[in-house]
Amino acid sequence: MNQETPKHVRQISKCIIKPHKISEESKQPTYLTPWDLSLVNLNYIQKGLLFRKPSPSFQDPNPTITFIDQLKHSLSMTLTHFYPLSGRMVTKKQDNPPFYGIYVDSSNDSVGAEFIHAAVDITMMDILTPTDVPLIVQSFFALDGAICHDGHTEPLLVVQVTELLDGIFVGCTFNHVVGDGTSYWKFFHAFAEITRNLRKAGIHDGSISRPPITKRWFMENDIDPALISLPFSHHKEFIEDRYERPLLRERMFHFTEESLAKLKAIANEECSTKNVQISSFQALCALVWRSITRTRHFNSDRITSCRLPIDDRLRLNPPLSGNYFGNCVQSVSGTTTVGELVQHGNGWAALLLHEAIKEHTDEKIRGLREEWMKKPRINQTRPIFDPANVMMGSSPRFDAYGCDFGLGTAVAARCGFNNKFDGKVTSHRGLTGIGSVLLEVCLPPESMSALESDEEFMGAVSPHEIHWQHLPCV
């Protein structure tokens, strides 16, 4: 894309989409759990997929318009299952006795999710071929910079469909208080499933293969969910000032299954600890952590951490269903000094991450929850933005490329600029199938240039051409 003549995304239409059917369950308030409430300072989740544009035919000379109309209809049916996304956040407060609680209200018939149809005069190759993720991708998502607390007045879900000259980008802006990454992709898969079936048959009853469990889980199985009282009287007491975004470069780095297997083998050889098996992803995270830290040139005694999101669903005893719709994720971290990290190899760093993950047990999860209930708190983002840290986000386990809207396999997965900062690394399943990984790395320009010159890191990375050469018919 010619940087001298930048293109702009233009909005064609905008409308509100409401659930196709109103269930009795949706008329009840959705009380938020400690996992949910701790996230009100975070930005919305912004993720989406790029598809090839459908070709005109004699039967359908305007297939893109047809597709967009089908998306609106299928979104309405999807919201029947994922009804919290059609609501708004509400704060209930009183002075005597003091009470301050936040919940989601989906009962108001005047609210819903927002649907935007937009267009831009660029091609898929304009997205895929540049070294850095083009800035225009940020315009493929709505509510840029919004935090979850804004869900009191803003939609909890905005779907933006952006037409390219030869492609279609389906992007969602999804309030993180309503659900985590697992929940996001459960919704996206259901949305795709209904759309695909609608396109095949022309009609659809709105059923999905894996209905979500929308009732919030509070650990106490013998009592009904209740509205949690927070130790505040006004949102200014816990909402941070919006941070000024630094100048960042965003670049996609791809790692094949073979490359990751080598990293895993080296890490396990260096680790040489009995009864410990470093995973491919742990080895990759260790490489990223050490490589990024080398680019920053901090003093050797500076503390550095690598934080990993971890799904609590299967770590609980008994485990929580994978269909649970809400937040059930926390983060664990490996921490050391810059000097120690750089001096040792990837196996040593991977072991720090492995031990942090191993220690995140059912007992640990329940203990953290009990501590939170004794002293409720809202996460502050300043510690996350420490320029000495690396924060891994999302997961290659999410089957993004399995979301089939009836347009074939997605060409690419991309994120918006929300929740981006120096050292944020977002992981996706790779382009060469299960076992490969695609990372989106955010760094200041000078750090990114240094990373691109790091022989150890770049030696594990696929050639940049894989982002389009591996995709047939592009």
Side-chain angles (χ1 to χ4, degrees), residues 261-274 276-279 282-288 290-291 294 340-352 354 456:
K262 292 179 182 178
L263 289 176
K264 177 182 177 180
I266 293 171
N268 278 289
E269 182 179 351
E270 292 178 351
C271 178
S272 65
T273 301
K274 293 182 179 179
V276 170
Q277 180 67 25
I278 302 298
S279 70
Q282 289 166 7
L284 177 59
C285 291
L287 172 69
V288 171
R290 293 182 66 249
S291 300
R294 282 196 295 264
E340 287 284 335
L341 182 66
V342 173
Q343 177 184 349
H344 291 90
N346 288 335
W348 185 86
L351 183 59
L352 290 180
H354 176 87
E456 182 183 14

Side-chain angles (χ1 to χ4, degrees), residues 26-233:
S26 69
K27 297 177 183 179
Q28 304 300 316
T30 299
Y31 294 136
L32 301 174
T33 70
W35 282 286
D36 304 322
L37 291 167
S38 64
L39 302 178
V40 298
N41 260 324
L42 294 188
N43 292 135
Y44 279 59
I45 296 172
Q46 293 179 320
K47 299 185 186 299
L49 297 173
L50 177 63
F51 297 92
R52 298 173 182 84
K53 212 170 190 176
S55 301
S57 64
F58 179 78
Q59 293 82 4
D60 189 357
N62 297 300
T64 300
I65 298 301
T66 301
F67 177 65
I68 289 171
D69 288 340
Q70 291 167 336
L71 282 178
K72 293 177 181 178
H73 186 40
S74 63
L75 178 59
S76 178
M77 290 190 283
T78 309
L79 289 173
T80 298
H81 302 281
F82 297 85
Y83 61 84
L85 290 169
S86 66
R88 296 292 184 274
M89 293 169 66
V90 176
T91 293
K92 177 183 178 181
K93 55 183 177 180
Q94 64 186 36
D95 296 328
N96 191 20
F99 188 90
Y100 191 99
I102 301 174
Y103 64 97
V104 172
D105 180 12
S106 308
S107 64
N108 190 339
D109 188 51
S110 66
V111 300
E114 193 168 83
F115 187 98
I116 297 173
H117 176 199
V120 62
D121 297 329
I122 61 173
T123 67
M124 291 190 291
M125 292 296 276
D126 291 326
I127 301 298
L128 300 175
T129 57
T131 302
D132 290 0
V133 177
L135 290 175
I136 201 163
V137 171
Q138 298 175 18
S139 301
F140 293 173
F141 300 91
L143 299 183
D144 189 39
I147 65 170
C148 293
H149 190 268
D150 295 336
H152 283 77
T153 55
E154 298 285 1
L156 300 182
L157 172 71
V158 182
V159 176
Q160 178 173 322
V161 182
T162 305
E163 288 186 61
L164 281 63
L165 295 175
D166 58 351
I168 294 179
F169 190 90
V170 181
C172 291
T173 302
F174 177 106
N175 193 294
H176 208 329
V177 165
V178 178
D180 53 21
T182 297
S183 297
Y184 174 88
W185 286 110
K186 294 294 183 187
F187 159 77
F188 210 91
H189 269 274
F191 185 23
E193 179 185 356
I194 292 176
T195 305
R196 180 177 68 251
N197 292 332
L198 182 64
R199 286 175 62 78
K200 284 182 180 178
I203 56 173
H204 188 57
D205 62 2
S207 61
I208 56 177
S209 56
R210 299 183 66 181
I213 299 172
T214 52
K215 183 178 179 180
R216 284 309 202 255
W217 185 74
F218 285 78
M219 288 195 177
E220 297 87 354
N221 294 320
D222 56 340
I223 64 171
D224 290 328
L227 185 59
I228 294 175
S229 181
L230 300 170
F232 308 110
S233 58

